[in-house]
């Protein structure tokens, strides 16, 4: 029901804001603001997205919980969609989601409503001796190393430069 209300309310709010702002400053400046916020939003989303991706890489390298960087990345993605959607209300929501403090607040509010019953990493039996604990043991897989062999060259040609005159 909440999603239906959002799909109904957001376009109505946007239409009302377009009429109000367009009536106050005119059509040209209103359209310019919409285009400028889309370009500015794209730039900000790229910057914040790169920062969130680096945080995700760091948490995965440190083998720590990646849920916070993933949540930030998801909210940045939503912010990008909102900023690319024409309208003042969606632009305001998108810009708010690009602020890390706002994302933390939203994440805290959402986390208070979510209960994780179980979390596991990995996926089954590992090879004896624990040689590689990252990859489950599969009896159909043969562990091998690639050996780079140098292929023989074509036989040398006559003459000092290696080429033959005809």
């Amino acid at each position: 029901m909440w999603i239906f209300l959002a799909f109904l309310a957001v376009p109505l709010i946007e239409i009302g804001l377009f009429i109000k702002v367009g009536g106050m400053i005119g059509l040209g400046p209103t359209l310019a603001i919409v285009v400028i916020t889309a370009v500015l939003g794209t730039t900000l989303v790229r910057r914040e997205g790169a920062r969130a991706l680096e945080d995700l890489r760091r948490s995965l390298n440190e083998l720590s919980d990646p849920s916070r960087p993933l949540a930030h990345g998801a909210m940045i993605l939503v912010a990008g969609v909102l900023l690319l959607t024409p309208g003042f209300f969606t632009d305001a929501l998108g810009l708010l989601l690009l602020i890390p403090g706002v994302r933390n607040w939203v994440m805290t509010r959402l986390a208070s409503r979510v209960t994780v019953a179980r979390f596991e990493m990995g996926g089954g039996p590992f090879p004896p001796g624990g040689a590689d604990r990252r990859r489950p043991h599969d009896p159909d897989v043969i562990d091998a190393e690639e050996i780079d062999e140098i292929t023989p060259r074509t036989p040398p040609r006559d003459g000092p430069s290696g080429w033959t005159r005809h």
Side-chain angles (χ1 to χ4, degrees):
M1 188 66 173
W2 289 105
I3 294 175
F4 172 73
L5 290 175
F7 276 112
L8 184 65
V10 169
L12 292 176
I13 292 170
E14 293 292 6
I15 291 169
L17 286 172
F18 270 124
I19 291 171
K20 276 288 202 193
V21 172
M24 289 182 351
I25 64 173
L27 176 64
T30 302
L31 294 177
I33 289 172
V34 170
V35 171
I36 289 170
T37 56
V39 171
L40 176 67
T42 302
T43 304
L44 291 172
V45 165
R46 291 178 90 192
R47 186 187 73 191
E48 288 298 314
R51 191 175 294 162
L53 186 60
E54 183 58 36
D55 290 343
L56 177 62
R57 283 185 184 139
R58 188 177 313 113
S59 71
L60 292 174
N61 285 339
E62 295 171 357
L63 297 176
S64 62
D65 182 18
S67 61
R68 287 190 80 73
L70 284 172
H72 278 277
M75 285 189 271
I76 291 167
L77 180 66
V78 170
V81 169
L82 289 171
L83 285 166
L84 289 175
T85 303
F88 296 106
F89 181 68
T90 53
D91 286 348
L93 290 177
L95 286 173
L96 283 173
L97 279 177
L98 289 179
I99 300 170
V102 172
R103 289 196 308 265
N104 286 329
W105 180 80
V106 169
M107 196 167 20
T108 303
R109 297 281 300 188
L110 291 176
S112 67
R113 296 174 180 231
V114 174
T115 303
V116 177
R118 185 175 176 168
F119 178 79
E120 288 184 25
M121 289 182 66
F126 294 99
D132 187 0
R133 296 195 178 276
R134 293 172 295 167
R135 190 174 58 227
H137 178 66
D138 185 352
D140 296 329
V141 175
I142 299 172
D143 197 11
E145 292 183 24
E146 179 181 348
I147 299 174
D148 214 7
E149 291 186 22
I150 299 174
T151 56
R153 293 183 168 202
T154 57
R157 303 190 181 240
D158 298 340
S161 66
W163 294 97
T164 304
R165 288 189 182 183
H166 292 283

